[in-house]
Amino acid sequence: MAASIITTEDFETFKIDLLQEIKKIVESQTSARPKKWLRSIEVRKLLNLSNGTLQNLRINGTLSYTKVGGIIYYSYTDIEKVLEVNKVQGLPTLFK
């Protein structure tokens, strides 16, 4: 087995290649479009809600849903709209 000498430039090249590969992986995952329809458990995890709170959002009409065969589905775009409509603007910074 022959010995190989690894230089600083070799490490630098390896680092650049590794970072480029990681960047490709991250970009491919973040550019993936979210599912169009989510089940209740997915919505609860996404918004960190309890069963009761999600049920209240359905009952009071805040969040629309579709029920098929006993399974409740929520549109991802409807969830985004509810979040936008209920967005609270932050107070302007008085002291910078």
Side-chain angles (χ1 to χ4, degrees):
M1 180 191 289
S4 297
I5 297 176
I6 299 175
T7 64
T8 306
E9 291 81 21
D10 293 334
F11 276 121
E12 193 66 31
T13 303
F14 173 74
K15 179 180 83 170
I16 291 169
D17 291 343
L18 182 61
L19 288 174
Q20 287 174 346
E21 288 298 316
I22 291 171
K23 184 177 179 181
K24 285 180 191 176
I25 292 169
V26 169
E27 285 175 350
S28 70
Q29 290 179 349
T30 56
S31 65
R33 187 180 163 132
K35 291 169 50 174
K36 180 174 169 112
W37 295 98
L38 303 172
R39 295 176 125 191
S40 294
I41 191 166
E42 294 169 311
V43 176
R44 289 195 328 262
K45 286 181 182 178
L46 179 68
L47 300 177
N48 195 24
L49 301 174
S50 68
N51 287 333
T53 301
L54 185 55
Q55 182 178 5
N56 285 336
L57 292 174
R58 282 195 314 267
I59 291 170
N60 66 24
T62 302
L63 187 56
S64 59
Y65 63 95
T66 301
K67 190 171 184 178
V68 178
I71 300 174
I72 298 174
Y73 295 97
Y74 304 86
S75 168
Y76 189 84
T77 55
D78 287 348
I79 295 169
E80 288 180 317
K81 288 176 189 174
V82 168
L83 292 173
E84 272 304 314
V85 167
N86 291 291
K87 184 182 352 181
V88 177
Q89 297 297 325
L91 296 174
T93 304
L94 298 176
F95 304 102
K96 290 187 178 184

Coordinates of all heavy atoms in Angstrom, one line a residue:
M1 N 0.8 -1.2 0.0 CA 0.0 0.0 0.0 C 0.9 1.2 0.0 O 1.7 1.4 0.9 CB -0.9 0.0 1.2 CG -1.8 1.2 1.3 SD -2.7 1.4 2.8 CE -3.9 0.1 2.8
A2 N 0.7 2.1 -1.0 CA 1.5 3.3 -1.1 C 1.0 4.4 -0.2 O -0.3 4.5 0.0 CB 1.5 3.8 -2.5
A3 N 1.8 5.2 0.4 CA 1.4 6.3 1.3 C 1.1 7.5 0.4 O 1.8 7.7 -0.6 CB 2.5 6.6 2.2
S4 N 0.1 8.2 0.8 CA -0.3 9.4 0.1 C -0.2 10.6 1.0 O -0.5 10.5 2.2 CB -1.8 9.4 -0.4 OG -1.9 8.3 -1.3
I5 N 0.3 11.7 0.5 CA 0.4 12.9 1.2 C -0.7 13.9 0.9 O -1.0 14.1 -0.3 CB 1.8 13.6 1.0 CG1 2.9 12.7 1.4 CG2 1.8 15.0 1.7 CD1 4.3 13.2 1.1
I6 N -1.4 14.3 1.9 CA -2.6 15.2 1.7 C -2.1 16.6 2.0 O -1.7 16.8 3.1 CB -3.8 14.7 2.5 CG1 -4.2 13.3 2.1 CG2 -4.9 15.7 2.4 CD1 -5.3 12.8 3.0
T7 N -2.3 17.5 1.1 CA -1.9 18.9 1.3 C -3.1 19.7 1.8 O -4.3 19.3 1.7 CB -1.4 19.5 0.0 OG1 -2.4 19.5 -1.0 CG2 -0.2 18.6 -0.5
T8 N -2.8 20.9 2.2 CA -3.8 21.9 2.6 C -4.7 22.2 1.4 O -5.9 22.3 1.6 CB -3.1 23.2 3.1 OG1 -2.2 22.9 4.1 CG2 -4.2 24.2 3.6
E9 N -4.2 22.3 0.2 CA -5.0 22.5 -1.0 C -5.9 21.4 -1.2 O -7.1 21.6 -1.7 CB -4.1 22.7 -2.2 CG -3.2 24.0 -2.2 CD -2.0 23.9 -1.4 OE1 -1.5 22.7 -1.1 OE2 -1.5 24.9 -0.9
D10 N -5.5 20.1 -1.0 CA -6.4 19.0 -1.1 C -7.6 19.1 -0.2 O -8.7 18.8 -0.6 CB -5.7 17.7 -0.8 CG -4.6 17.4 -1.9 OD1 -4.7 17.8 -3.0 OD2 -3.6 16.7 -1.5
F11 N -7.3 19.5 1.1 CA -8.4 19.7 2.0 C -9.4 20.8 1.6 O -10.6 20.7 1.7 CB -7.9 20.0 3.4 CG -7.5 18.8 4.2 CD1 -6.3 18.6 4.7 CD2 -8.5 17.8 4.5 CE1 -5.9 17.5 5.4 CE2 -8.2 16.7 5.2 CZ -6.9 16.5 5.7
E12 N -8.8 21.9 1.1 CA -9.6 23.0 0.6 C -10.5 22.6 -0.6 O -11.7 22.9 -0.6 CB -8.7 24.2 0.2 CG -9.4 25.5 0.0 CD -10.0 26.1 1.3 OE1 -9.4 25.8 2.4 OE2 -11.0 26.7 1.2
T13 N -10.0 21.9 -1.5 CA -10.7 21.4 -2.6 C -11.8 20.4 -2.1 O -13.0 20.5 -2.6 CB -9.8 20.6 -3.6 OG1 -8.8 21.5 -4.1 CG2 -10.6 20.1 -4.8
F14 N -11.5 19.6 -1.2 CA -12.5 18.6 -0.6 C -13.6 19.4 0.0 O -14.8 19.1 -0.1 CB -11.8 17.7 0.3 CG -12.8 16.8 1.1 CD1 -13.4 15.8 0.4 CD2 -13.1 17.1 2.4 CE1 -14.4 15.0 1.1 CE2 -14.0 16.3 3.1 CZ -14.6 15.2 2.4
K15 N -13.3 20.4 0.8 CA -14.3 21.3 1.5 C -15.2 21.9 0.5 O -16.4 21.9 0.7 CB -13.6 22.3 2.3 CG -14.5 23.2 3.1 CD -13.8 24.3 3.9 CE -13.4 25.4 3.0 NZ -12.9 26.6 3.8
I16 N -14.7 22.5 -0.6 CA -15.5 23.2 -1.6 C -16.4 22.2 -2.2 O -17.6 22.5 -2.4 CB -14.6 23.9 -2.6 CG1 -13.9 25.1 -1.9 CG2 -15.4 24.4 -3.8 CD1 -12.8 25.7 -2.7
D17 N -15.9 21.0 -2.6 CA -16.8 20.0 -3.3 C -17.9 19.6 -2.3 O -19.0 19.4 -2.7 CB -15.9 18.8 -3.7 CG -15.0 19.1 -4.8 OD1 -15.2 20.2 -5.5 OD2 -14.0 18.4 -5.1
L18 N -17.5 19.3 -1.1 CA -18.5 18.9 -0.1 C -19.6 19.9 0.1 O -20.8 19.6 0.2 CB -17.8 18.5 1.2 CG -18.7 18.0 2.4 CD1 -19.3 16.7 2.0 CD2 -17.8 17.8 3.6
L19 N -19.2 21.2 0.3 CA -20.2 22.2 0.5 C -21.1 22.4 -0.7 O -22.3 22.6 -0.6 CB -19.5 23.6 0.8 CG -18.8 23.7 2.1 CD1 -18.0 25.0 2.3 CD2 -19.9 23.6 3.2
Q20 N -20.6 22.2 -1.9 CA -21.4 22.3 -3.1 C -22.4 21.2 -3.2 O -23.6 21.4 -3.5 CB -20.5 22.3 -4.4 CG -19.8 23.5 -4.6 CD -18.8 23.4 -5.8 OE1 -18.5 22.4 -6.3 NE2 -18.3 24.6 -6.3
E21 N -22.0 20.0 -2.8 CA -22.9 18.8 -2.7 C -24.0 19.0 -1.7 O -25.2 18.8 -1.9 CB -22.2 17.5 -2.5 CG -21.4 17.0 -3.6 CD -22.2 16.7 -4.8 OE1 -23.3 16.1 -4.7 OE2 -21.8 17.1 -5.9
I22 N -23.7 19.5 -0.5 CA -24.6 19.8 0.5 C -25.6 20.9 0.1 O -26.8 20.8 0.3 CB -23.9 20.2 1.8 CG1 -23.2 19.0 2.4 CG2 -24.9 20.8 2.8 CD1 -22.3 19.4 3.6
K23 N -25.1 21.9 -0.6 CA -26.0 23.0 -1.1 C -27.0 22.4 -2.1 O -28.1 22.8 -2.1 CB -25.1 24.1 -1.8 CG -25.9 25.3 -2.2 CD -25.0 26.3 -2.8 CE -25.8 27.5 -3.3 NZ -25.0 28.5 -3.9
K24 N -26.6 21.5 -3.0 CA -27.5 20.9 -4.0 C -28.6 20.1 -3.3 O -29.7 20.2 -3.6 CB -26.7 20.0 -4.9 CG -25.9 20.6 -5.9 CD -25.2 19.6 -6.8 CE -24.1 20.2 -7.7 NZ -23.4 19.2 -8.4
I25 N -28.2 19.4 -2.2 CA -29.2 18.6 -1.5 C -30.2 19.5 -0.8 O -31.4 19.3 -0.9 CB -28.5 17.7 -0.5 CG1 -27.7 16.6 -1.2 CG2 -29.5 17.0 0.5 CD1 -26.8 15.8 -0.3
V26 N -29.7 20.5 -0.1 CA -30.6 21.5 0.6 C -31.5 22.2 -0.4 O -32.7 22.3 -0.2 CB -29.8 22.5 1.4 CG1 -30.7 23.6 1.9 CG2 -29.1 21.8 2.5
E27 N -31.0 22.7 -1.5 CA -31.8 23.4 -2.5 C -32.9 22.5 -3.1 O -34.0 22.9 -3.3 CB -30.9 23.9 -3.6 CG -30.2 25.2 -3.2 CD -29.2 25.7 -4.2 OE1 -29.0 25.0 -5.3 OE2 -28.7 26.8 -4.1
S28 N -32.5 21.2 -3.3 CA -33.5 20.3 -3.9 C -34.7 20.0 -2.9 O -35.8 19.8 -3.3 CB -32.9 19.0 -4.4 OG -32.5 18.2 -3.2
Q29 N -34.4 20.0 -1.6 CA -35.4 19.7 -0.6 C -36.2 21.0 -0.4 O -37.4 20.9 -0.2 CB -34.8 19.3 0.7 CG -34.2 17.9 0.5 CD -33.5 17.4 1.8 OE1 -33.3 18.2 2.8 NE2 -33.2 16.1 1.9
T30 N -35.6 22.2 -0.4 CA -36.4 23.4 -0.1 C -37.2 23.8 -1.3 O -38.2 24.5 -1.2 CB -35.5 24.5 0.3 OG1 -34.5 24.8 -0.7 CG2 -34.9 24.2 1.7
S31 N -36.8 23.4 -2.5 CA -37.6 23.8 -3.7 C -38.7 22.9 -4.0 O -39.6 23.2 -4.8 CB -36.6 23.9 -4.9 OG -36.1 22.6 -5.2
A32 N -38.7 21.8 -3.2 CA -39.8 20.8 -3.4 C -41.1 21.5 -2.9 O -41.2 22.1 -1.8 CB -39.6 19.5 -2.6
R33 N -42.2 21.4 -3.7 CA -43.4 22.0 -3.3 C -44.1 21.2 -2.2 O -44.1 19.9 -2.3 CB -44.3 22.0 -4.6 CG -45.6 22.8 -4.4 CD -46.4 22.8 -5.6 NE -47.7 23.2 -5.2 CZ -48.4 24.1 -5.8 NH1 -47.9 24.7 -6.9 NH2 -49.6 24.4 -5.4
P34 N -44.7 21.8 -1.3 CA -45.4 21.1 -0.2 C -46.6 20.4 -0.8 O -47.1 20.7 -1.8 CB -45.8 22.2 0.8 CG -45.8 23.4 0.0 CD -44.8 23.3 -1.1
K35 N -47.1 19.4 0.0 CA -48.3 18.7 -0.4 C -49.4 19.6 -0.5 O -49.6 20.5 0.3 CB -48.6 17.6 0.6 CG -47.6 16.4 0.6 CD -47.7 15.5 1.8 CE -49.1 15.0 2.0 NZ -49.1 14.0 3.1
K36 N -50.3 19.4 -1.5 CA -51.5 20.2 -1.7 C -52.5 20.0 -0.6 O -53.1 20.9 -0.1 CB -52.1 19.9 -3.0 CG -53.3 20.8 -3.3 CD -53.9 20.6 -4.7 CE -55.2 21.2 -4.8 NZ -55.2 22.4 -5.6
W37 N -52.7 18.8 -0.1 CA -53.7 18.4 0.9 C -53.0 17.8 2.1 O -52.2 16.9 1.9 CB -54.8 17.5 0.4 CG -55.6 18.1 -0.7 CD1 -55.4 18.0 -2.0 CD2 -56.7 19.0 -0.5 NE1 -56.4 18.8 -2.7 CE2 -57.1 19.4 -1.8 CE3 -57.3 19.6 0.6 CZ2 -58.2 20.3 -1.9 CZ3 -58.4 20.4 0.5 CH2 -58.8 20.8 -0.8
L38 N -53.3 18.3 3.3 CA -52.7 17.8 4.5 C -53.8 17.2 5.4 O -54.9 17.7 5.5 CB -52.0 18.9 5.3 CG -50.9 19.7 4.5 CD1 -50.5 20.9 5.4 CD2 -49.8 18.8 4.2
R39 N -53.4 16.1 6.1 CA -54.4 15.5 7.1 C -54.2 16.3 8.4 O -53.3 17.0 8.6 CB -54.0 14.0 7.3 CG -54.2 13.2 6.0 CD -53.8 11.8 6.3 NE -54.9 10.9 5.9 CZ -54.9 9.6 6.2 NH1 -53.9 9.1 6.8 NH2 -56.0 8.9 5.9
S40 N -55.2 16.0 9.3 CA -55.2 16.7 10.5 C -53.9 16.6 11.3 O -53.4 17.6 11.8 CB -56.4 16.2 11.4 OG -57.6 16.5 10.8
I41 N -53.3 15.4 11.4 CA -52.1 15.3 12.2 C -51.0 16.1 11.6 O -50.2 16.6 12.3 CB -51.7 13.8 12.3 CG1 -50.6 13.6 13.3 CG2 -51.3 13.2 10.9 CD1 -50.4 12.2 13.8
E42 N -50.9 16.2 10.2 CA -49.9 17.0 9.6 C -50.1 18.5 9.9 O -49.1 19.2 10.1 CB -49.9 16.8 8.1 CG -49.5 15.3 7.7 CD -49.8 15.0 6.3 OE1 -50.9 15.3 5.8 OE2 -48.9 14.5 5.6
V43 N -51.3 18.9 9.9 CA -51.6 20.3 10.2 C -51.3 20.6 11.7 O -50.7 21.7 12.0 CB -53.1 20.7 9.9 CG1 -53.4 22.1 10.3 CG2 -53.4 20.5 8.4
R44 N -51.6 19.7 12.5 CA -51.3 19.9 14.0 C -49.8 20.0 14.2 O -49.4 20.9 15.0 CB -51.9 18.8 14.8 CG -53.4 18.9 14.9 CD -54.0 18.0 16.0 NE -53.3 16.8 16.3 CZ -53.6 15.6 15.8 NH1 -54.7 15.4 15.1 NH2 -52.9 14.5 16.2
K45 N -49.1 19.2 13.5 CA -47.6 19.3 13.6 C -47.1 20.5 13.0 O -46.2 21.2 13.6 CB -46.9 18.1 13.0 CG -47.1 16.8 13.8 CD -46.4 15.6 13.1 CE -46.6 14.3 13.9 NZ -46.0 13.2 13.2
L46 N -47.6 20.9 11.9 CA -47.1 22.1 11.2 C -47.3 23.4 12.0 O -46.5 24.2 12.1 CB -47.8 22.2 9.8 CG -47.5 23.4 8.9 CD1 -46.1 23.3 8.4 CD2 -48.5 23.5 7.8
L47 N -48.5 23.5 12.6 CA -48.9 24.7 13.3 C -48.7 24.5 14.8 O -49.0 25.5 15.6 CB -50.3 25.1 13.0 CG -50.6 25.4 11.5 CD1 -52.1 25.7 11.3 CD2 -49.7 26.5 11.0
N48 N -48.3 23.4 15.3 CA -48.2 23.1 16.7 C -49.5 23.3 17.4 O -49.5 24.1 18.4 CB -47.0 23.9 17.3 CG -46.6 23.4 18.6 OD1 -46.8 22.2 19.0 ND2 -46.0 24.3 19.4
L49 N -50.5 22.7 17.0 CA -51.9 22.8 17.6 C -52.3 21.6 18.2 O -51.9 20.5 17.9 CB -52.9 23.2 16.5 CG -52.7 24.4 15.6 CD1 -53.7 24.5 14.5 CD2 -52.8 25.6 16.5
S50 N -53.2 21.7 19.2 CA -53.8 20.5 19.8 C -55.0 20.1 19.0 O -55.5 20.9 18.1 CB -54.3 20.9 21.2 OG -55.4 21.8 21.2
N51 N -55.5 18.9 19.2 CA -56.7 18.4 18.5 C -57.9 19.4 18.7 O -58.6 19.7 17.8 CB -57.2 17.1 19.1 CG -56.3 16.0 18.6 OD1 -55.6 16.1 17.6 ND2 -56.2 14.9 19.4
G52 N -58.1 19.9 19.9 CA -59.2 20.8 20.2 C -59.1 22.1 19.5 O -60.1 22.6 19.0
T53 N -57.9 22.7 19.4 CA -57.7 23.9 18.8 C -58.0 23.8 17.3 O -58.7 24.6 16.7 CB -56.3 24.5 19.0 OG1 -56.1 24.6 20.4 CG2 -56.1 25.8 18.3
L54 N -57.5 22.7 16.7 CA -57.8 22.5 15.3 C -59.3 22.3 15.0 O -59.8 22.9 14.1 CB -57.0 21.3 14.7 CG -57.1 21.0 13.2 CD1 -56.7 22.2 12.4 CD2 -56.2 19.8 12.9
Q55 N -59.9 21.6 15.9 CA -61.4 21.4 15.8 C -62.1 22.8 15.9 O -63.0 23.1 15.1 CB -61.9 20.5 16.9 CG -63.4 20.2 16.8 CD -63.8 19.2 17.8 OE1 -63.1 18.8 18.7 NE2 -65.1 18.9 17.8
N56 N -61.7 23.6 16.8 CA -62.3 25.0 17.0 C -62.1 25.8 15.7 O -63.0 26.5 15.3 CB -61.7 25.7 18.2 CG -62.2 25.2 19.5 OD1 -63.3 24.6 19.5 ND2 -61.5 25.4 20.5
L57 N -60.9 25.7 15.1 CA -60.7 26.4 13.8 C -61.6 26.0 12.7 O -62.1 26.8 11.9 CB -59.2 26.3 13.4 CG -58.2 26.9 14.3 CD1 -56.8 26.6 13.8 CD2 -58.3 28.4 14.3
R58 N -61.9 24.7 12.7 CA -62.9 24.1 11.8 C -64.3 24.6 12.1 O -65.0 25.1 11.2 CB -62.9 22.6 11.8 CG -61.8 22.0 11.1 CD -62.1 20.5 10.8 NE -62.6 19.7 12.0 CZ -61.8 19.1 12.8 NH1 -60.5 19.1 12.7 NH2 -62.4 18.4 13.8
I59 N -64.7 24.5 13.4 CA -66.1 24.8 13.8 C -66.4 26.3 13.6 O -67.5 26.6 13.1 CB -66.3 24.5 15.3 CG1 -66.3 22.9 15.4 CG2 -67.6 25.1 15.8 CD1 -66.2 22.5 16.9
N60 N -65.5 27.2 13.9 CA -65.8 28.6 13.8 C -65.5 29.1 12.4 O -65.6 30.3 12.1 CB -65.0 29.5 14.8 CG -63.5 29.5 14.7 OD1 -63.0 29.2 13.6 ND2 -62.8 29.7 15.8
G61 N -65.1 28.3 11.4 CA -64.9 28.6 10.0 C -63.6 29.3 9.7 O -63.5 29.8 8.6
T62 N -62.7 29.4 10.7 CA -61.4 30.0 10.4 C -60.6 29.2 9.4 O -60.0 29.8 8.5 CB -60.6 30.1 11.7 OG1 -61.3 30.8 12.7 CG2 -59.3 30.7 11.5
L63 N -60.7 27.9 9.4 CA -59.9 27.1 8.5 C -60.9 26.1 7.8 O -61.5 25.3 8.4 CB -58.9 26.3 9.3 CG -57.9 25.4 8.6 CD1 -57.1 26.3 7.6 CD2 -56.9 24.8 9.5
S64 N -60.9 26.2 6.5 CA -61.8 25.4 5.7 C -61.2 24.0 5.6 O -60.0 23.8 5.7 CB -62.0 26.0 4.3 OG -60.8 26.2 3.7
Y65 N -62.0 23.0 5.3 CA -61.5 21.6 5.2 C -62.4 20.9 4.3 O -63.5 21.3 3.9 CB -61.5 21.0 6.6 CG -62.9 20.9 7.2 CD1 -63.6 19.7 7.1 CD2 -63.4 21.9 8.0 CE1 -64.9 19.6 7.7 CE2 -64.7 21.8 8.5 CZ -65.4 20.6 8.4 OH -66.7 20.5 9.0
T66 N -62.0 19.7 3.9 CA -62.7 18.8 3.1 C -62.7 17.4 3.8 O -61.7 17.0 4.3 CB -62.1 18.6 1.7 OG1 -62.0 19.9 1.1 CG2 -62.8 17.6 0.8
K67 N -63.9 16.8 3.8 CA -64.0 15.5 4.5 C -64.3 14.4 3.5 O -65.3 14.5 2.8 CB -65.1 15.5 5.6 CG -65.1 14.3 6.5 CD -66.0 14.6 7.7 CE -66.0 13.4 8.6 NZ -66.8 13.6 9.8
V68 N -63.5 13.4 3.4 CA -63.7 12.3 2.4 C -63.6 11.0 3.2 O -62.5 10.7 3.8 CB -62.6 12.4 1.3 CG1 -62.8 11.2 0.4 CG2 -62.7 13.7 0.6
G69 N -64.7 10.3 3.3 CA -64.7 9.0 4.0 C -64.2 9.1 5.4 O -63.5 8.2 5.9
G70 N -64.6 10.1 6.1 CA -64.2 10.2 7.5 C -62.9 10.8 7.8 O -62.5 11.0 8.9
I71 N -62.1 11.1 6.7 CA -60.8 11.7 6.9 C -60.9 13.2 6.5 O -61.4 13.5 5.4 CB -59.7 11.0 6.0 CG1 -59.6 9.5 6.4 CG2 -58.4 11.7 6.1 CD1 -58.7 8.7 5.5
I72 N -60.4 14.0 7.4 CA -60.4 15.5 7.1 C -59.1 15.9 6.5 O -58.0 15.6 7.0 CB -60.7 16.2 8.4 CG1 -62.0 15.8 9.0 CG2 -60.6 17.7 8.2 CD1 -62.3 16.4 10.4
Y73 N -59.3 16.7 5.4 CA -58.1 17.2 4.7 C -58.2 18.7 4.7 O -59.2 19.3 4.6 CB -58.1 16.7 3.2 CG -57.9 15.2 3.1 CD1 -59.0 14.4 2.9 CD2 -56.7 14.7 3.1 CE1 -58.8 13.0 2.8 CE2 -56.5 13.3 2.9 CZ -57.6 12.5 2.8 OH -57.4 11.2 2.6
Y74 N -57.0 19.4 4.7 CA -56.9 20.8 4.7 C -56.0 21.2 3.5 O -54.9 20.6 3.3 CB -56.2 21.3 6.0 CG -57.0 20.9 7.2 CD1 -56.7 19.7 7.8 CD2 -58.0 21.7 7.8 CE1 -57.4 19.3 9.0 CE2 -58.6 21.3 8.9 CZ -58.4 20.1 9.5 OH -59.0 19.7 10.6
S75 N -56.4 22.2 2.8 CA -55.6 22.7 1.7 C -54.4 23.5 2.3 O -54.6 24.4 3.1 CB -56.4 23.6 0.8 OG -55.6 24.3 -0.1
Y76 N -53.2 23.2 1.7 CA -52.0 24.0 2.2 C -52.2 25.5 1.9 O -51.8 26.3 2.7 CB -50.8 23.4 1.5 CG -49.5 23.9 2.1 CD1 -48.9 23.4 3.2 CD2 -48.8 25.0 1.5 CE1 -47.7 23.9 3.7 CE2 -47.7 25.5 2.0 CZ -47.1 24.9 3.1 OH -45.9 25.4 3.6
T77 N -52.7 25.8 0.7 CA -52.9 27.2 0.4 C -53.9 27.9 1.3 O -53.7 29.1 1.6 CB -53.3 27.4 -1.1 OG1 -54.5 26.6 -1.3 CG2 -52.2 26.9 -2.0
D78 N -54.9 27.2 1.8 CA -55.9 27.7 2.7 C -55.2 28.0 4.0 O -55.5 29.0 4.7 CB -57.1 26.8 2.9 CG -58.0 26.8 1.7 OD1 -57.9 27.7 0.8 OD2 -58.9 25.9 1.7
I79 N -54.3 27.1 4.5 CA -53.6 27.3 5.7 C -52.7 28.6 5.6 O -52.7 29.4 6.5 CB -52.7 26.1 6.1 CG1 -53.6 24.9 6.4 CG2 -51.8 26.4 7.2 CD1 -52.9 23.6 6.5
E80 N -52.0 28.8 4.4 CA -51.2 29.9 4.2 C -52.0 31.2 4.3 O -51.6 32.2 4.8 CB -50.5 29.8 2.9 CG -49.3 28.8 2.8 CD -48.7 28.8 1.5 OE1 -49.4 28.8 0.5 OE2 -47.4 28.7 1.5
K81 N -53.2 31.2 3.7 CA -54.1 32.3 3.6 C -54.6 32.7 5.1 O -54.6 33.9 5.4 CB -55.4 32.0 2.8 CG -55.1 32.0 1.3 CD -56.3 31.6 0.5 CE -56.0 31.4 -0.9 NZ -57.2 30.9 -1.7
V82 N -54.9 31.7 5.9 CA -55.3 32.0 7.3 C -54.1 32.6 8.0 O -54.4 33.6 8.8 CB -55.8 30.7 8.0 CG1 -55.9 30.9 9.5 CG2 -57.1 30.2 7.4
L83 N -52.9 32.2 7.8 CA -51.8 32.7 8.5 C -51.6 34.2 8.0 O -51.2 35.1 8.8 CB -50.5 31.9 8.2 CG -50.5 30.5 8.9 CD1 -49.3 29.7 8.4 CD2 -50.6 30.6 10.4
E84 N -51.7 34.4 6.7 CA -51.5 35.8 6.2 C -52.6 36.8 6.7 O -52.3 37.9 7.1 CB -51.6 35.8 4.7 CG -50.3 35.6 4.0 CD -49.2 36.5 4.3 OE1 -49.4 37.7 4.4 OE2 -48.1 36.0 4.6
V85 N -53.9 36.3 6.7 CA -55.0 37.2 7.2 C -54.8 37.5 8.6 O -55.1 38.6 9.1 CB -56.3 36.5 6.9 CG1 -57.4 37.2 7.6 CG2 -56.6 36.4 5.4
N86 N -54.3 36.6 9.4 CA -54.2 36.8 10.9 C -52.8 37.3 11.3 O -52.5 37.3 12.5 CB -54.5 35.5 11.6 CG -56.0 35.2 11.5 OD1 -56.8 35.8 12.0 ND2 -56.3 34.1 10.7
K87 N -52.0 37.7 10.3 CA -50.6 38.2 10.6 C -50.7 39.5 11.4 O -51.5 40.4 11.0 CB -49.8 38.4 9.4 CG -48.4 38.8 9.7 CD -47.5 39.1 8.5 CE -47.8 38.8 7.2 NZ -46.8 39.1 6.2
V88 N -50.0 39.6 12.5 CA -49.9 40.8 13.3 C -48.6 41.5 12.9 O -47.5 40.9 13.0 CB -50.0 40.5 14.8 CG1 -49.8 41.7 15.6 CG2 -51.2 39.7 15.1
Q89 N -48.7 42.8 12.5 CA -47.5 43.5 12.2 C -46.8 43.9 13.5 O -47.4 44.3 14.4 CB -47.9 44.8 11.4 CG -48.6 44.5 10.1 CD -47.7 43.8 9.1 OE1 -46.5 44.0 9.1 NE2 -48.2 42.9 8.3
G90 N -45.5 43.8 13.4 CA -44.7 44.2 14.6 C -44.6 45.7 14.7 O -44.9 46.4 13.8
L91 N -44.4 46.1 16.0 CA -44.3 47.5 16.3 C -43.0 48.1 15.7 O -42.0 47.4 15.7 CB -44.3 47.8 17.8 CG -45.6 47.4 18.5 CD1 -45.5 47.5 20.0 CD2 -46.8 48.2 18.0
P92 N -43.0 49.3 15.2 CA -41.8 49.9 14.7 C -40.8 50.0 15.8 O -41.1 50.3 17.0 CB -42.2 51.2 14.1 CG -43.5 51.5 14.7 CD -44.1 50.2 15.1
T93 N -39.5 49.9 15.5 CA -38.5 50.0 16.5 C -38.2 51.5 16.8 O -38.0 52.3 15.8 CB -37.2 49.4 15.9 OG1 -37.5 48.0 15.6 CG2 -36.1 49.4 17.0
L94 N -38.4 51.8 18.0 CA -38.2 53.2 18.4 C -36.7 53.6 18.6 O -36.3 54.7 18.4 CB -39.0 53.5 19.7 CG -40.5 53.4 19.6 CD1 -41.1 53.6 20.9 CD2 -41.0 54.3 18.6
F95 N -36.0 52.6 19.1 CA -34.6 52.8 19.4 C -33.7 51.9 18.6 O -33.8 50.7 18.8 CB -34.3 52.6 20.9 CG -35.2 53.5 21.8 CD1 -36.3 53.0 22.4 CD2 -34.9 54.9 22.0 CE1 -37.1 53.8 23.2 CE2 -35.7 55.6 22.8 CZ -36.8 55.1 23.4
K96 N -32.9 52.4 17.8 CA -32.0 51.5 17.1 C -30.6 51.7 17.5 O -30.1 52.6 18.0 CB -32.1 51.8 15.6 CG -33.4 51.4 15.0 CD -33.4 51.6 13.5 CE -34.7 51.1 12.9 NZ -34.7 51.2 11.5

